[in-house]
Amino acid sequence: MSYELQALIGMVELLTVAAAEVPAARVVPLAQGLALIPVTSAVLAALQGDAAVPRPGGGAGFGWHPDGFELRLAAWSKAGPIACVEAEYCGGVGTQRAAVWSDGRIVLGPLTSEEFQPRPAEGTPISRALRWLGGYVAPGRADEFDSVGLGAHRSTADWVVG
C-alpha cells in the first residue's frame, strides 16, 4: 500500500490566513491544534502563476517547490511557525522530508530520511517538525505523525475531498 503527502502544517489560524492568499488552498484540521494545507496540483498551479512570488528557484530540498515559494513561507512564518513536509512510501519503504520556518527563516532542516535508512533516534523528519510546532506523542500512539492524524489519508489529493 502506498502513501504520499505534500503539505504545509501549522496552527489553524496561521494556515487560514495563508490559504486566503492562495486560490485552491484548503485548510484541514488535524489533532493537537494543528492543521494542514494539502499542496495539490491546483495549489501549485496557483503559486506558480502568482506574479507576487519572485522567481529565484525552488529549494530547501523540495523538488516540487515553485520558484520563490520559500519567500512566501518565510513571510507567513513571521506570524508563527510553519512546516513544509513531504512523504512517499510504498510497502513500508520510502522517504520523508521536512523543514520548519519561523520568524522569516528556516529554523529546522531541511531534514531528509531516505529509503532503507534506519529510523533516527530523534524521530522521522515529519515527527521532528511536528514536535517543533508543538505536536507530541499522544498516549497509545506511535509518534507525532500518528498522534496528529497524518495517517488518515493515503494521498495528498485525498485530504482535499476527505
Side-chain angles (χ1 to χ4, degrees), residues 58-111:
F62 297 86
W64 52 270
H65 274 193
D67 291 346
F69 187 51
E70 286 185 73
L71 298 174
R72 173 72 57 100
L73 290 168
W76 288 332
S77 78
K78 290 179 181 176
I82 187 168
C84 184
V85 303
E86 68 181 17
E88 189 170 343
Y89 285 88
C90 187
V93 177
T95 61
Q96 280 191 21
R97 182 168 286 110
V100 177
W101 281 257
S102 185
D103 295 322
R105 61 185 177 84
I106 291 180
V107 295
L108 179 70
L111 305 171

Side-chain angles (χ1 to χ4, degrees), residues 109-129:
L111 305 171
T112 302
S113 67
E114 297 293 340
E115 290 183 10
F116 306 112
Q117 283 184 334
R119 184 181 199 154
E122 62 273 15
T124 65
I126 293 175
S127 284
R128 290 178 63 191

